Structure formats: C-alpha cells, structure tokens
Amino acid sequence: AQSVTQPDIHITVSEGASLELRCNYSYGATPYLFWYVQSPGQGLQLLLKYFSGDTLVQGIKGFEAEFKRSQSSFNLRKPSVHWSDAAEYFCAVVAGGFKTIFGAGTRLFVKA
Amino acid sequence: GAVVSQHPSRVICKSGTSVKIECRSLDFQATTMFWYRQFPKQSLMLMATSNEGSKATYEQGVEKDKFLINHASLTLSTLTVTSAHPEDSSFYICSAREGGNEQFFGPGTRLTVL
C-alpha cells in the first residue's frame, strides 16, 4: 500500500540556519510527489512538486527538494530559514485514482 | 492559477443538526473533487472522492449516510454532515483536480458542533 513517512514530528531551527525536512514514500510506480505548507487554521499552500525530469526541484519561498529514487525519499530543504517559515509541512504522494496521501506532517519552530 | 473556494470558512452548529459545506473550483472545471478531514495537530485524511454526476467513493471507515457528498456540476461539490455530533468537529478541506496529477486545495472549513 502507498504510504508517506515524515519521521520528524517537530523540528526547531534557528533563524538563518539551514533546514531539511525528511520524507520517505512507499509506492510501486513512479511517484508524483508534493510538499505543502500549512499555517495554523489555514488551508494548504503548494511549495513544490515533482513529476519527472530533474530530480532537484525548486519551489516557492526559497525551498527546494530532491527526489532520490534509490532511497525513496523527497526531502525538503531551505538554506536560510526565516521566522515566517514556522508552520506545519506536509509531504504527499499522488497514488492510484489520483488520491493524495499525506504524511503525518512536521511542525517547524523557528527560534530567534 | 487554479483557485478553489470553500464556504463557509467557519460554522458552529448544535448537535443533531445538519451542516452543508460547499467547494467550488473558480476558474477551471474539476473532473474530480476530494474531501479531507483534519483533526487538530494531525494530517489530512481522505474521506471521499467524487466525480461529477456520479456517486462518491468513500474511504474505508467513512459513513456515507453521515457524510453526504453531491457533485452536481464540474465546479461544485457539497459535503453535508448530517445529524452532527461534537466528535464531527474538525477542519474539512476539499480539493479539485482538473485532469492532471495535481490537486488544488480549498482554504478549509472549521466545523464546531456544540
């Protein structure tokens, strides 16, 4: 069965430091992968997506993610975190029937 | 870009009443719409998939008689929570798919049942 694992429930990073949020997926076919960000009480905002081609994907707000098929991973990175990046981050895979399966999410805290 | 709206954004109702939530694709025709439920500090769980003009497909464990879904047109899907109870209080999010692999998400509806 398809699944998405985000091993870190929460992460705390100092403002200006680099960030990496981990995501591993389980899916038999070529995955369509997404990262979303959600602020409290808000809907989802798409950060970036991977369908095919270049495995390093650039997104909005300075985020990027790298697809590594051998590791079944799609980790999200940002070189310098801003206080406004504090939010919940969800990794997701589109499975059969175009259903989106979400990871449990990682809460990012940014300290001054 | 593709925009999906939800109405209302927040609703408070009494236990035993029914609540309808609308999901609209504003600038595209949605071949498929999805309804998700999100409990506090948890991830989104797919409740059902609906295609215009046909019955919704519910995920295991979701009561189809309690969560009525109608996808009457290519731009509108509705979720009705019937005989709502406090445990139905949650954040409900819809998404719409135009035809590709990407879904566009609505801003969500916060339901509180007293």
Side-chain angles (χ1 to χ4, degrees):
Chain A
Q2 304 93 349
S3 66
V4 177
T5 302
Q6 293 180 246
D8 302 305
I9 297 173
H10 55 81
I11 282 181
T12 301
V13 176
S14 297
E15 190 169 18
S18 63
L19 169 71
E20 183 170 32
L21 301 181
R22 295 182 292 166
C23 172
N24 292 96
Y25 67 90
S26 173
Y27 187 55
T30 301
Y32 300 109
L33 296 159
F34 302 80
W35 273 101
Y36 295 91
V37 61
Q38 184 182 37
S39 296
Q42 302 296 314
L44 300 177
Q45 182 179 24
L46 177 67
L47 288 175
L48 47 78
K49 59 189 176 186
Y50 171 80
F51 289 172
S52 65
D54 193 345
T55 56
L56 184 61
V57 180
Q58 301 298 320
I60 62 171
K61 303 184 177 184
F63 286 93
E64 67 177 27
E66 186 171 12
F67 170 60
K68 293 185 177 180
R69 185 185 297 275
S70 62
Q71 299 177 20
S72 297
S73 69
F74 189 56
N75 295 347
L76 181 71
R77 299 194 294 252
K78 186 169 184 177
S80 178
V81 169
H82 188 262
W83 65 268
S84 61
D85 293 324
E88 187 87 22
Y89 290 80
F90 293 99
C91 180
V93 62
V94 171
F98 301 101
K99 299 178 184 179
T100 298
I101 298 173
F102 288 87
T106 298
R107 168 73 63 180
L108 173 64
F109 297 94
V110 180
K111 59 181 181 180
Chain B
V3 179
V4 175
S5 70
Q6 281 184 241
H7 178 81
S9 58
R10 289 177 177 272
V11 57
I12 300 173
C13 69
K14 292 182 179 180
S15 185
T17 61
S18 294
V19 175
K20 179 184 285 188
I21 303 170
E22 292 186 348
C23 176
R24 293 182 185 270
S25 57
L26 298 185
D27 51 2
F28 67 99
Q29 293 187 323
T31 55
T32 309
M33 286 186 168
F34 303 86
W35 286 95
Y36 296 84
R37 182 174 185 177
Q38 184 180 31
F39 288 109
K41 299 185 179 181
Q42 293 189 26
S43 188
L44 284 76
M45 300 301 296
L46 180 65
M47 298 175 67
T49 303
S50 74
N51 293 290
E52 184 262 340
S54 61
K55 290 183 178 180
T57 302
Y58 290 80
E59 295 299 301
Q60 191 172 10
V62 178
E63 300 176 60
K64 62 181 181 181
D65 294 330
K66 180 166 185 63
F67 299 100
L68 302 179
I69 292 172
N70 184 283
H71 194 160
S73 75
L74 284 171
T75 59
L76 173 65
S77 176
T78 60
L79 168 67
T80 301
V81 184
T82 62
S83 187
H85 291 281
E87 56 266 29
D88 298 325
S89 298
S90 188
F91 195 53
Y92 292 88
I93 300 177
C94 74
S95 70
R97 171 178 161 264
E98 184 175 17
N101 296 309
E102 185 174 353
Q103 294 175 34
F104 302 96
F105 287 84
T109 297
R110 172 75 59 194
L111 170 63
T112 302
V113 185
L114 302 177

